[in-house]
Amino acid sequence: MLKVLKSGLFTAVQDIGRYGYLNKGVPVAGFMDGFSAKKANQLLDNDAHAAVLEITMTGPTLLFEEETYISMGGALLSATLNNEPIANYEVIKVNKGDILSYGKLKKGFRNYLAVKGGFKAPLVLGSRSFFSSVTKKNHLVDGDELAYDVCSYFEPKISKLIVDSFLDEIELKVGHGPEYENLSDKQLEMLFGKKFSISNENNRMAYQLEEKIEGLQISMITSATLPGTVQLTPSGKLIVLMKDGQTTGGYPRILQLSDRAISVLAQKKYGDEVRFKLNSQL
Amino acid sequence: MNNYSISIRPFGIHAILLEWPGRVDVAILEDILQFTQYLKKCCLKNEEWEIVPAYNSVTLIYREEPINFKELKTKLLNWYKEDIKVVKRQKVLWRLPVCYDEDFGIDLNEISQKSGKSIKEIIELHTSQVYTVFGIGFLPGFTYLGGVPEELQFNRREEPRSKVLSGAVGLAGKQTGVYPQESPGGWNIIGNCSVPMFDPKAEEPCFVSVGDQVQFYKITRAEFDLRKIESEVGIYKLEKIVLDA
């Protein structure tokens, strides 16, 4: 078992997400930064959808009660194993009794801890991802325990990955949302011509951007929304729905982030800047 | 099919939105559901499409690879034009028990004053209607039910409550619905439903689907308390009526 000695700010089990239930109002949930999580899993030859710990800003302190292998991806969070610094994107042997802890956030916002075979939180509606009202837990608390497979020997195909500049990216590639065609030239100029900063309202449900553009005054009947949908309110507020976002909405859906763009945005915190770039593919 | 002029628009590279005329209308919803049933059975080649109907639209999602929008739009319009003998969609009515005791119907007094109707009249109005599920969202299992009579149409509360109880039955404008979980909410609360609207442990976590019909009926506080205890351990019965219409 993995014993949670200190849980950190918002540490949760996430996998590739919960699909097939949007029509029942169940969000996808899953890794906020799928790009980083999948690379951490890849190093361990895990399934791409294996459950990892998503660690946000302030990391946990974790005790491994059995031996296994781990790897980390995403944010640089000053991780140490038994007080020795360890790096992202490396396969690391963990022995019985080892303690993994995190320190100062240096870059990014969300770190992903993968374990050989994935964490064995309960499977609910096809996924282990935490989401309140679907799973018993929304995030880990001190004293929690998580099962994982014991692994005494593993020879990775790749023992280290170099992921140089992902956390520095600010460009969000977007496609047209359903209401894109309603945007005026002025609105388009504002949307694509400048940077936007992340407001304090940012979490797994949605990221609200600080700067406003001209609002869009069209009446809408409630319709589906997706992770990565950019909504524009009548007052000009831009809201990017994320993995735990509501499945329907009534605001114009002007843009749709690519999967990678969702991952880029998930590594931004309050005050960081991003820029939308229209993908020529659509 | 081909009853309406529909608009088809891209929704990023993995989804496409089909929109019927912009009004809340049972006939439009039925047309959407007939078409989506046809798409599932005859047109979309594999199981991986996720289909999300709501009010006057349906969103088709395909995550395996980018959608070729132009090609799919043409196909969809052609499929919609086809004069096909659709297998009649099975229609279902769910009967849901509600306790309208004032401990639960915390806004009953207020809307009684606003409307000039007695609480008894309000309850009779609410339980005499057959409602249609136009959308599910906001929360897992939250159903947006249309068909509220004019006398029961009230604006949302000016100040949303930070906590609305699980099971709370609300009214907002032309809609009524049940809060499946405890949540902040701005609807006017008139009662509480003992049947869980969302149960992740159930074979069907949300028994209601878009297009289904719902009718509420009144139960006593004592009966509610008993049913609530039973439902918390997973014992509850769903009252389903299959309609021939």
Side-chain angles (χ1 to χ4, degrees), chain A residues 19-22 24-25 133-134 176 178-179 181 221-224 246 256 282, chain B residues 9-12 22 50 55 57 59 63 136 138 140-141 181 200 206 208-209:
Chain A
Y19 292 105
Y21 297 96
L22 291 176
K24 302 296 182 174
S133 78
V134 175
H176 292 184
E179 283 72 54
E181 63 197 23
I221 292 179
T222 297
S223 187
Q246 288 175 4
Q256 181 64 31
L282 183 48
Chain B
R9 304 206 291 279
F11 199 161
E50 189 163 7
Y55 294 89
S57 72
T59 300
R63 297 184 177 89
I136 298 175
F138 174 50
Q181 299 97 26
C206 172
V208 169
S209 293

PDB file of all heavy atoms in Angstrom, chain A residues 19-22 24-25 133-134 176 178-179 181 221-224 246 256 282, chain B residues 9-12 22 50 55 57 59 63 136 138 140-141 181 200 206 208-209:
ATOM      1  N   TYR A  19     -15.694   7.882 -19.808  1.00  0.00           N
ATOM      2  CA  TYR A  19     -16.346   8.168 -21.082  1.00  0.00           C
ATOM      3  C   TYR A  19     -17.689   7.468 -21.200  1.00  0.00           C
ATOM      4  O   TYR A  19     -17.903   6.411 -20.637  1.00  0.00           O
ATOM      5  CB  TYR A  19     -15.433   7.753 -22.242  1.00  0.00           C
ATOM      6  CG  TYR A  19     -14.213   8.618 -22.321  1.00  0.00           C
ATOM      7  CD1 TYR A  19     -12.968   8.154 -21.897  1.00  0.00           C
ATOM      8  CD2 TYR A  19     -14.310   9.926 -22.772  1.00  0.00           C
ATOM      9  CE1 TYR A  19     -11.851   8.971 -21.940  1.00  0.00           C
ATOM     10  CE2 TYR A  19     -13.191  10.747 -22.818  1.00  0.00           C
ATOM     11  CZ  TYR A  19     -11.970  10.268 -22.402  1.00  0.00           C
ATOM     12  OH  TYR A  19     -10.879  11.067 -22.435  1.00  0.00           O
ATOM     13  N   GLY A  20     -18.565   8.078 -21.972  1.00  0.00           N
ATOM     14  CA  GLY A  20     -19.839   7.431 -22.275  1.00  0.00           C
ATOM     15  C   GLY A  20     -20.990   7.878 -21.411  1.00  0.00           C
ATOM     16  O   GLY A  20     -22.108   7.411 -21.587  1.00  0.00           O
ATOM     17  N   TYR A  21     -20.747   8.797 -20.486  1.00  0.00           N
ATOM     18  CA  TYR A  21     -21.811   9.218 -19.573  1.00  0.00           C
ATOM     19  C   TYR A  21     -22.103  10.710 -19.640  1.00  0.00           C
ATOM     20  O   TYR A  21     -22.789  11.247 -18.767  1.00  0.00           O
ATOM     21  CB  TYR A  21     -21.450   8.833 -18.132  1.00  0.00           C
ATOM     22  CG  TYR A  21     -21.340   7.340 -17.936  1.00  0.00           C
ATOM     23  CD1 TYR A  21     -20.095   6.712 -17.992  1.00  0.00           C
ATOM     24  CD2 TYR A  21     -22.472   6.554 -17.736  1.00  0.00           C
ATOM     25  CE1 TYR A  21     -19.988   5.342 -17.838  1.00  0.00           C
ATOM     26  CE2 TYR A  21     -22.369   5.178 -17.580  1.00  0.00           C
ATOM     27  CZ  TYR A  21     -21.122   4.584 -17.634  1.00  0.00           C
ATOM     28  OH  TYR A  21     -21.006   3.222 -17.485  1.00  0.00           O
ATOM     29  N   LEU A  22     -21.593  11.384 -20.672  1.00  0.00           N
ATOM     30  CA  LEU A  22     -21.890  12.818 -20.794  1.00  0.00           C
ATOM     31  C   LEU A  22     -23.393  13.053 -20.887  1.00  0.00           C
ATOM     32  O   LEU A  22     -23.903  14.053 -20.386  1.00  0.00           O
ATOM     33  CB  LEU A  22     -21.196  13.408 -22.027  1.00  0.00           C
ATOM     34  CG  LEU A  22     -19.669  13.515 -21.975  1.00  0.00           C
ATOM     35  CD1 LEU A  22     -19.138  14.025 -23.310  1.00  0.00           C
ATOM     36  CD2 LEU A  22     -19.227  14.448 -20.854  1.00  0.00           C
ATOM     37  N   LYS A  24     -25.583  11.702 -19.288  1.00  0.00           N
ATOM     38  CA  LYS A  24     -26.178  11.603 -17.948  1.00  0.00           C
ATOM     39  C   LYS A  24     -25.631  12.684 -17.018  1.00  0.00           C
ATOM     40  O   LYS A  24     -25.862  12.629 -15.806  1.00  0.00           O
ATOM     41  CB  LYS A  24     -25.906  10.223 -17.344  1.00  0.00           C
ATOM     42  CG  LYS A  24     -26.421   9.073 -18.180  1.00  0.00           C
ATOM     43  CD  LYS A  24     -27.937   9.079 -18.304  1.00  0.00           C
ATOM     44  CE  LYS A  24     -28.446   7.885 -19.097  1.00  0.00           C
ATOM     45  NZ  LYS A  24     -29.908   7.796 -19.116  1.00  0.00           N
ATOM     46  N   GLY A  25     -24.883  13.619 -17.597  1.00  0.00           N
ATOM     47  CA  GLY A  25     -24.355  14.716 -16.793  1.00  0.00           C
ATOM     48  C   GLY A  25     -23.069  14.403 -16.050  1.00  0.00           C
ATOM     49  O   GLY A  25     -22.657  15.169 -15.182  1.00  0.00           O
ATOM     50  N   SER A 133     -19.430  12.796  -5.990  1.00  0.00           N
ATOM     51  CA  SER A 133     -20.768  12.266  -6.288  1.00  0.00           C
ATOM     52  C   SER A 133     -20.717  11.058  -7.221  1.00  0.00           C
ATOM     53  O   SER A 133     -21.723  10.397  -7.439  1.00  0.00           O
ATOM     54  CB  SER A 133     -21.726  13.324  -6.844  1.00  0.00           C
ATOM     55  OG  SER A 133     -21.479  13.581  -8.206  1.00  0.00           O
ATOM     56  N   VAL A 134     -19.561  10.766  -7.773  1.00  0.00           N
ATOM     57  CA  VAL A 134     -19.402   9.532  -8.544  1.00  0.00           C
ATOM     58  C   VAL A 134     -18.512   8.574  -7.755  1.00  0.00           C
ATOM     59  O   VAL A 134     -18.839   7.406  -7.574  1.00  0.00           O
ATOM     60  CB  VAL A 134     -18.806   9.810  -9.941  1.00  0.00           C
ATOM     61  CG1 VAL A 134     -18.522   8.507 -10.682  1.00  0.00           C
ATOM     62  CG2 VAL A 134     -19.750  10.675 -10.764  1.00  0.00           C
ATOM     63  N   HIS A 176     -12.653  25.767 -34.140  1.00  0.00           N
ATOM     64  CA  HIS A 176     -13.914  26.497 -34.017  1.00  0.00           C
ATOM     65  C   HIS A 176     -14.831  25.813 -33.020  1.00  0.00           C
ATOM     66  O   HIS A 176     -15.010  24.603 -33.067  1.00  0.00           O
ATOM     67  CB  HIS A 176     -14.641  26.520 -35.366  1.00  0.00           C
ATOM     68  CG  HIS A 176     -13.966  27.326 -36.414  1.00  0.00           C
ATOM     69  ND1 HIS A 176     -14.513  27.532 -37.663  1.00  0.00           N
ATOM     70  CD2 HIS A 176     -12.790  27.992 -36.423  1.00  0.00           C
ATOM     71  CE1 HIS A 176     -13.706  28.271 -38.386  1.00  0.00           C
ATOM     72  NE2 HIS A 176     -12.643  28.561 -37.658  1.00  0.00           N
ATOM     73  N   PRO A 178     -18.960  25.826 -31.702  1.00  0.00           N
ATOM     74  CA  PRO A 178     -20.199  25.973 -32.476  1.00  0.00           C
ATOM     75  C   PRO A 178     -20.620  27.413 -32.744  1.00  0.00           C
ATOM     76  O   PRO A 178     -21.225  27.695 -33.779  1.00  0.00           O
ATOM     77  CB  PRO A 178     -21.240  25.256 -31.615  1.00  0.00           C
ATOM     78  CG  PRO A 178     -20.457  24.259 -30.839  1.00  0.00           C
ATOM     79  CD  PRO A 178     -19.138  24.920 -30.557  1.00  0.00           C
ATOM     80  N   GLU A 179     -20.318  28.327 -31.828  1.00  0.00           N
ATOM     81  CA  GLU A 179     -20.755  29.716 -31.994  1.00  0.00           C
ATOM     82  C   GLU A 179     -19.651  30.629 -32.534  1.00  0.00           C
ATOM     83  O   GLU A 179     -19.780  31.856 -32.515  1.00  0.00           O
ATOM     84  CB  GLU A 179     -21.303  30.258 -30.655  1.00  0.00           C
ATOM     85  CG  GLU A 179     -22.707  29.762 -30.309  1.00  0.00           C
ATOM     86  CD  GLU A 179     -22.755  28.293 -29.896  1.00  0.00           C
ATOM     87  OE1 GLU A 179     -22.021  27.889 -28.972  1.00  0.00           O
ATOM     88  OE2 GLU A 179     -23.538  27.538 -30.508  1.00  0.00           O
ATOM     89  N   GLU A 181     -18.839  31.312 -35.505  1.00  0.00           N
ATOM     90  CA  GLU A 181     -19.273  32.110 -36.658  1.00  0.00           C
ATOM     91  C   GLU A 181     -19.982  33.402 -36.255  1.00  0.00           C
ATOM     92  O   GLU A 181     -20.164  34.296 -37.071  1.00  0.00           O
ATOM     93  CB  GLU A 181     -20.173  31.266 -37.566  1.00  0.00           C
ATOM     94  CG  GLU A 181     -21.461  30.832 -36.893  1.00  0.00           C
ATOM     95  CD  GLU A 181     -22.161  29.675 -37.610  1.00  0.00           C
ATOM     96  OE1 GLU A 181     -21.493  28.927 -38.350  1.00  0.00           O
ATOM     97  OE2 GLU A 181     -23.379  29.536 -37.399  1.00  0.00           O
ATOM     98  N   ILE A 221     -30.014  28.212 -26.225  1.00  0.00           N
ATOM     99  CA  ILE A 221     -30.706  27.178 -25.468  1.00  0.00           C
ATOM    100  C   ILE A 221     -29.629  26.216 -24.984  1.00  0.00           C
ATOM    101  O   ILE A 221     -28.696  25.900 -25.720  1.00  0.00           O
ATOM    102  CB  ILE A 221     -31.749  26.466 -26.356  1.00  0.00           C
ATOM    103  CG1 ILE A 221     -32.877  27.451 -26.697  1.00  0.00           C
ATOM    104  CG2 ILE A 221     -32.311  25.236 -25.665  1.00  0.00           C
ATOM    105  CD1 ILE A 221     -33.950  26.871 -27.587  1.00  0.00           C
ATOM    106  N   THR A 222     -29.744  25.759 -23.768  1.00  0.00           N
ATOM    107  CA  THR A 222     -28.741  24.879 -23.160  1.00  0.00           C
ATOM    108  C   THR A 222     -28.366  23.738 -24.098  1.00  0.00           C
ATOM    109  O   THR A 222     -29.225  23.111 -24.715  1.00  0.00           O
ATOM    110  CB  THR A 222     -29.279  24.318 -21.830  1.00  0.00           C
ATOM    111  OG1 THR A 222     -29.497  25.408 -20.935  1.00  0.00           O
ATOM    112  CG2 THR A 222     -28.293  23.351 -21.186  1.00  0.00           C
ATOM    113  N   SER A 223     -27.061  23.495 -24.195  1.00  0.00           N
ATOM    114  CA  SER A 223     -26.542  22.509 -25.133  1.00  0.00           C
ATOM    115  C   SER A 223     -25.264  21.924 -24.548  1.00  0.00           C
ATOM    116  O   SER A 223     -24.753  22.411 -23.547  1.00  0.00           O
ATOM    117  CB  SER A 223     -26.287  23.235 -26.457  1.00  0.00           C
ATOM    118  OG  SER A 223     -25.929  22.352 -27.478  1.00  0.00           O
ATOM    119  N   ALA A 224     -24.727  20.891 -25.191  1.00  0.00           N
ATOM    120  CA  ALA A 224     -23.563  20.190 -24.643  1.00  0.00           C
ATOM    121  C   ALA A 224     -22.325  21.076 -24.586  1.00  0.00           C
ATOM    122  O   ALA A 224     -22.126  21.949 -25.429  1.00  0.00           O
ATOM    123  CB  ALA A 224     -23.266  18.953 -25.485  1.00  0.00           C
ATOM    124  N   GLN A 246     -18.950  21.157 -16.147  1.00  0.00           N
ATOM    125  CA  GLN A 246     -20.330  20.757 -16.402  1.00  0.00           C
ATOM    126  C   GLN A 246     -20.492  20.302 -17.843  1.00  0.00           C
ATOM    127  O   GLN A 246     -19.798  20.780 -18.736  1.00  0.00           O
ATOM    128  CB  GLN A 246     -21.268  21.927 -16.106  1.00  0.00           C
ATOM    129  CG  GLN A 246     -21.386  22.207 -14.618  1.00  0.00           C
ATOM    130  CD  GLN A 246     -22.209  23.450 -14.311  1.00  0.00           C
ATOM    131  OE1 GLN A 246     -22.755  24.076 -15.216  1.00  0.00           O
ATOM    132  NE2 GLN A 246     -22.291  23.803 -13.053  1.00  0.00           N
ATOM    133  N   GLN A 256     -12.710  25.712 -29.231  1.00  0.00           N
ATOM    134  CA  GLN A 256     -12.532  24.409 -28.611  1.00  0.00           C
ATOM    135  C   GLN A 256     -11.036  24.087 -28.589  1.00  0.00           C
ATOM    136  O   GLN A 256     -10.399  24.023 -29.644  1.00  0.00           O
ATOM    137  CB  GLN A 256     -13.308  23.337 -29.398  1.00  0.00           C
ATOM    138  CG  GLN A 256     -13.207  21.933 -28.824  1.00  0.00           C
ATOM    139  CD  GLN A 256     -13.816  21.799 -27.428  1.00  0.00           C
ATOM    140  OE1 GLN A 256     -14.776  22.496 -27.092  1.00  0.00           O
ATOM    141  NE2 GLN A 256     -13.259  20.921 -26.621  1.00  0.00           N
ATOM    142  N   LEU A 282      -8.927  23.201 -38.905  1.00  0.00           N
ATOM    143  CA  LEU A 282     -10.396  23.317 -38.826  1.00  0.00           C
ATOM    144  C   LEU A 282     -10.800  24.758 -38.561  1.00  0.00           C
ATOM    145  O   LEU A 282     -10.484  25.284 -37.520  1.00  0.00           O
ATOM    146  CB  LEU A 282     -10.905  22.421 -37.702  1.00  0.00           C
ATOM    147  CG  LEU A 282     -12.415  22.370 -37.521  1.00  0.00           C
ATOM    148  CD1 LEU A 282     -13.124  22.147 -38.836  1.00  0.00           C
ATOM    149  CD2 LEU A 282     -12.809  21.300 -36.543  1.00  0.00           C
TER     150      LEU A 282
ATOM    151  N   ARG B   9     -22.607  22.355 -37.195  1.00  0.00           N
ATOM    152  CA  ARG B   9     -21.435  23.194 -36.977  1.00  0.00           C
ATOM    153  C   ARG B   9     -20.319  22.405 -36.291  1.00  0.00           C
ATOM    154  O   ARG B   9     -20.575  21.479 -35.530  1.00  0.00           O
ATOM    155  CB  ARG B   9     -21.816  24.403 -36.117  1.00  0.00           C
ATOM    156  CG  ARG B   9     -22.976  25.221 -36.722  1.00  0.00           C
ATOM    157  CD  ARG B   9     -22.956  26.655 -36.283  1.00  0.00           C
ATOM    158  NE  ARG B   9     -23.268  26.819 -34.877  1.00  0.00           N
ATOM    159  CZ  ARG B   9     -24.503  26.827 -34.373  1.00  0.00           C
ATOM    160  NH1 ARG B   9     -25.541  26.660 -35.168  1.00  0.00           N
ATOM    161  NH2 ARG B   9     -24.688  27.010 -33.090  1.00  0.00           N
ATOM    162  N   PRO B  10     -19.062  22.797 -36.581  1.00  0.00           N
ATOM    163  CA  PRO B  10     -17.949  22.092 -35.948  1.00  0.00           C
ATOM    164  C   PRO B  10     -17.852  22.443 -34.468  1.00  0.00           C
ATOM    165  O   PRO B  10     -18.207  23.541 -34.047  1.00  0.00           O
ATOM    166  CB  PRO B  10     -16.716  22.618 -36.701  1.00  0.00           C
ATOM    167  CG  PRO B  10     -17.125  23.939 -37.248  1.00  0.00           C
ATOM    168  CD  PRO B  10     -18.605  23.870 -37.484  1.00  0.00           C
ATOM    169  N   PHE B  11     -17.363  21.499 -33.706  1.00  0.00           N
ATOM    170  CA  PHE B  11     -17.181  21.667 -32.269  1.00  0.00           C
ATOM    171  C   PHE B  11     -15.780  21.132 -31.968  1.00  0.00           C
ATOM    172  O   PHE B  11     -15.617  20.061 -31.388  1.00  0.00           O
ATOM    173  CB  PHE B  11     -18.271  20.864 -31.541  1.00  0.00           C
ATOM    174  CG  PHE B  11     -18.509  21.256 -30.110  1.00  0.00           C
ATOM    175  CD1 PHE B  11     -19.696  20.907 -29.479  1.00  0.00           C
ATOM    176  CD2 PHE B  11     -17.561  21.949 -29.366  1.00  0.00           C
ATOM    177  CE1 PHE B  11     -19.936  21.245 -28.155  1.00  0.00           C
ATOM    178  CE2 PHE B  11     -17.789  22.290 -28.042  1.00  0.00           C
ATOM    179  CZ  PHE B  11     -18.983  21.931 -27.438  1.00  0.00           C
ATOM    180  N   GLY B  12     -14.771  21.891 -32.387  1.00  0.00           N
ATOM    181  CA  GLY B  12     -13.405  21.383 -32.332  1.00  0.00           C
ATOM    182  C   GLY B  12     -13.236  20.295 -33.374  1.00  0.00           C
ATOM    183  O   GLY B  12     -14.029  20.194 -34.310  1.00  0.00           O
ATOM    184  N   GLY B  22     -34.480  26.995 -32.807  1.00  0.00           N
ATOM    185  CA  GLY B  22     -34.186  27.417 -31.439  1.00  0.00           C
ATOM    186  C   GLY B  22     -35.399  27.622 -30.565  1.00  0.00           C
ATOM    187  O   GLY B  22     -35.697  28.741 -30.157  1.00  0.00           O
ATOM    188  N   GLU B  50     -19.997   9.086 -29.031  1.00  0.00           N
ATOM    189  CA  GLU B  50     -20.766   9.459 -27.855  1.00  0.00           C
ATOM    190  C   GLU B  50     -21.776  10.504 -28.314  1.00  0.00           C
ATOM    191  O   GLU B  50     -21.428  11.416 -29.058  1.00  0.00           O
ATOM    192  CB  GLU B  50     -19.847  10.011 -26.759  1.00  0.00           C
ATOM    193  CG  GLU B  50     -20.572  10.204 -25.451  1.00  0.00           C
ATOM    194  CD  GLU B  50     -19.662  10.346 -24.237  1.00  0.00           C
ATOM    195  OE1 GLU B  50     -18.429  10.424 -24.387  1.00  0.00           O
ATOM    196  OE2 GLU B  50     -20.216  10.382 -23.127  1.00  0.00           O
ATOM    197  N   TYR B  55     -32.304  19.517 -25.314  1.00  0.00           N
ATOM    198  CA  TYR B  55     -33.256  20.517 -25.806  1.00  0.00           C
ATOM    199  C   TYR B  55     -33.432  20.471 -27.318  1.00  0.00           C
ATOM    200  O   TYR B  55     -34.162  19.639 -27.833  1.00  0.00           O
ATOM    201  CB  TYR B  55     -32.855  21.923 -25.347  1.00  0.00           C
ATOM    202  CG  TYR B  55     -32.942  22.129 -23.868  1.00  0.00           C
ATOM    203  CD1 TYR B  55     -31.857  21.839 -23.039  1.00  0.00           C
ATOM    204  CD2 TYR B  55     -34.112  22.607 -23.282  1.00  0.00           C
ATOM    205  CE1 TYR B  55     -31.942  22.022 -21.671  1.00  0.00           C
ATOM    206  CE2 TYR B  55     -34.192  22.797 -21.911  1.00  0.00           C
ATOM    207  CZ  TYR B  55     -33.110  22.502 -21.118  1.00  0.00           C
ATOM    208  OH  TYR B  55     -33.175  22.684 -19.770  1.00  0.00           O
ATOM    209  N   SER B  57     -30.791  20.301 -29.625  1.00  0.00           N
ATOM    210  CA  SER B  57     -29.540  19.967 -30.297  1.00  0.00           C
ATOM    211  C   SER B  57     -29.074  18.572 -29.928  1.00  0.00           C
ATOM    212  O   SER B  57     -29.557  17.970 -28.967  1.00  0.00           O
ATOM    213  CB  SER B  57     -28.438  20.966 -29.918  1.00  0.00           C
ATOM    214  OG  SER B  57     -28.029  20.744 -28.579  1.00  0.00           O
ATOM    215  N   THR B  59     -25.080  16.624 -29.844  1.00  0.00           N
ATOM    216  CA  THR B  59     -23.647  16.711 -30.100  1.00  0.00           C
ATOM    217  C   THR B  59     -23.111  15.299 -30.282  1.00  0.00           C
ATOM    218  O   THR B  59     -23.375  14.423 -29.459  1.00  0.00           O
ATOM    219  CB  THR B  59     -22.932  17.407 -28.921  1.00  0.00           C
ATOM    220  OG1 THR B  59     -23.478  18.718 -28.780  1.00  0.00           O
ATOM    221  CG2 THR B  59     -21.430  17.504 -29.158  1.00  0.00           C
ATOM    222  N   ARG B  63     -13.666  10.432 -30.426  1.00  0.00           N
ATOM    223  CA  ARG B  63     -12.347  10.750 -29.901  1.00  0.00           C
ATOM    224  C   ARG B  63     -11.210  10.004 -30.585  1.00  0.00           C
ATOM    225  O   ARG B  63     -10.047  10.331 -30.382  1.00  0.00           O
ATOM    226  CB  ARG B  63     -12.311  10.454 -28.399  1.00  0.00           C
ATOM    227  CG  ARG B  63     -13.272  11.320 -27.612  1.00  0.00           C
ATOM    228  CD  ARG B  63     -13.148  11.092 -26.119  1.00  0.00           C
ATOM    229  NE  ARG B  63     -14.021  11.989 -25.372  1.00  0.00           N
ATOM    230  CZ  ARG B  63     -15.284  11.712 -25.050  1.00  0.00           C
ATOM    231  NH1 ARG B  63     -15.817  10.568 -25.410  1.00  0.00           N
ATOM    232  NH2 ARG B  63     -16.017  12.585 -24.387  1.00  0.00           N
ATOM    233  N   ILE B 136     -29.921  16.762 -19.464  1.00  0.00           N
ATOM    234  CA  ILE B 136     -29.333  16.257 -18.222  1.00  0.00           C
ATOM    235  C   ILE B 136     -27.943  16.869 -18.140  1.00  0.00           C
ATOM    236  O   ILE B 136     -27.149  16.755 -19.077  1.00  0.00           O
ATOM    237  CB  ILE B 136     -29.263  14.716 -18.216  1.00  0.00           C
ATOM    238  CG1 ILE B 136     -30.676  14.112 -18.311  1.00  0.00           C
ATOM    239  CG2 ILE B 136     -28.559  14.215 -16.949  1.00  0.00           C
ATOM    240  CD1 ILE B 136     -30.711  12.603 -18.441  1.00  0.00           C
ATOM    241  N   PHE B 138     -25.468  19.966 -15.555  1.00  0.00           N
ATOM    242  CA  PHE B 138     -25.234  20.741 -14.325  1.00  0.00           C
ATOM    243  C   PHE B 138     -24.585  19.861 -13.254  1.00  0.00           C
ATOM    244  O   PHE B 138     -23.535  20.188 -12.721  1.00  0.00           O
ATOM    245  CB  PHE B 138     -26.525  21.386 -13.809  1.00  0.00           C
ATOM    246  CG  PHE B 138     -26.381  22.084 -12.483  1.00  0.00           C
ATOM    247  CD1 PHE B 138     -25.360  22.992 -12.268  1.00  0.00           C
ATOM    248  CD2 PHE B 138     -27.245  21.810 -11.440  1.00  0.00           C
ATOM    249  CE1 PHE B 138     -25.214  23.626 -11.038  1.00  0.00           C
ATOM    250  CE2 PHE B 138     -27.110  22.428 -10.211  1.00  0.00           C
ATOM    251  CZ  PHE B 138     -26.094  23.339 -10.005  1.00  0.00           C
ATOM    252  N   PRO B 140     -24.197  15.348 -12.245  1.00  0.00           N
ATOM    253  CA  PRO B 140     -24.579  14.013 -12.720  1.00  0.00           C
ATOM    254  C   PRO B 140     -26.018  13.703 -12.321  1.00  0.00           C
ATOM    255  O   PRO B 140     -26.379  13.799 -11.152  1.00  0.00           O
ATOM    256  CB  PRO B 140     -23.589  13.090 -11.999  1.00  0.00           C
ATOM    257  CG  PRO B 140     -22.378  13.941 -11.773  1.00  0.00           C
ATOM    258  CD  PRO B 140     -22.924  15.319 -11.484  1.00  0.00           C
ATOM    259  N   GLY B 141     -26.838  13.376 -13.312  1.00  0.00           N
ATOM    260  CA  GLY B 141     -28.217  12.997 -13.038  1.00  0.00           C
ATOM    261  C   GLY B 141     -29.188  14.147 -12.850  1.00  0.00           C
ATOM    262  O   GLY B 141     -30.367  13.913 -12.584  1.00  0.00           O
ATOM    263  N   GLN B 181     -27.585  15.581  -6.059  1.00  0.00           N
ATOM    264  CA  GLN B 181     -26.616  15.672  -4.970  1.00  0.00           C
ATOM    265  C   GLN B 181     -26.782  17.011  -4.283  1.00  0.00           C
ATOM    266  O   GLN B 181     -27.355  17.939  -4.839  1.00  0.00           O
ATOM    267  CB  GLN B 181     -25.170  15.582  -5.498  1.00  0.00           C
ATOM    268  CG  GLN B 181     -24.822  14.298  -6.215  1.00  0.00           C
ATOM    269  CD  GLN B 181     -24.927  14.420  -7.717  1.00  0.00           C
ATOM    270  OE1 GLN B 181     -24.793  15.500  -8.285  1.00  0.00           O
ATOM    271  NE2 GLN B 181     -25.202  13.324  -8.390  1.00  0.00           N
ATOM    272  N   PRO B 200     -24.110   5.839  -8.678  1.00  0.00           N
ATOM    273  CA  PRO B 200     -23.023   5.245  -9.464  1.00  0.00           C
ATOM    274  C   PRO B 200     -22.881   3.740  -9.263  1.00  0.00           C
ATOM    275  O   PRO B 200     -22.257   3.067 -10.079  1.00  0.00           O
ATOM    276  CB  PRO B 200     -21.770   5.987  -8.975  1.00  0.00           C
ATOM    277  CG  PRO B 200     -22.142   6.627  -7.703  1.00  0.00           C
ATOM    278  CD  PRO B 200     -23.621   6.832  -7.715  1.00  0.00           C
ATOM    279  N   CYS B 206     -28.021   6.518 -13.924  1.00  0.00           N
ATOM    280  CA  CYS B 206     -29.048   7.554 -14.036  1.00  0.00           C
ATOM    281  C   CYS B 206     -30.149   6.951 -14.900  1.00  0.00           C
ATOM    282  O   CYS B 206     -29.988   6.813 -16.106  1.00  0.00           O
ATOM    283  CB  CYS B 206     -28.466   8.807 -14.681  1.00  0.00           C
ATOM    284  SG  CYS B 206     -29.689  10.042 -15.069  1.00  0.00           S
ATOM    285  N   VAL B 208     -33.054   7.937 -15.804  1.00  0.00           N
ATOM    286  CA  VAL B 208     -33.781   8.813 -16.713  1.00  0.00           C
ATOM    287  C   VAL B 208     -32.918   9.138 -17.929  1.00  0.00           C
ATOM    288  O   VAL B 208     -31.703   9.294 -17.804  1.00  0.00           O
ATOM    289  CB  VAL B 208     -34.170  10.113 -15.967  1.00  0.00           C
ATOM    290  CG1 VAL B 208     -34.695  11.158 -16.921  1.00  0.00           C
ATOM    291  CG2 VAL B 208     -35.197   9.806 -14.897  1.00  0.00           C
ATOM    292  N   SER B 209     -33.545   9.236 -19.096  1.00  0.00           N
ATOM    293  CA  SER B 209     -32.855   9.680 -20.306  1.00  0.00           C
ATOM    294  C   SER B 209     -33.570  10.875 -20.900  1.00  0.00           C
ATOM    295  O   SER B 209     -34.769  11.074 -20.665  1.00  0.00           O
ATOM    296  CB  SER B 209     -32.840   8.565 -21.361  1.00  0.00           C
ATOM    297  OG  SER B 209     -32.050   7.496 -20.936  1.00  0.00           O
TER     298      SER B 209
END
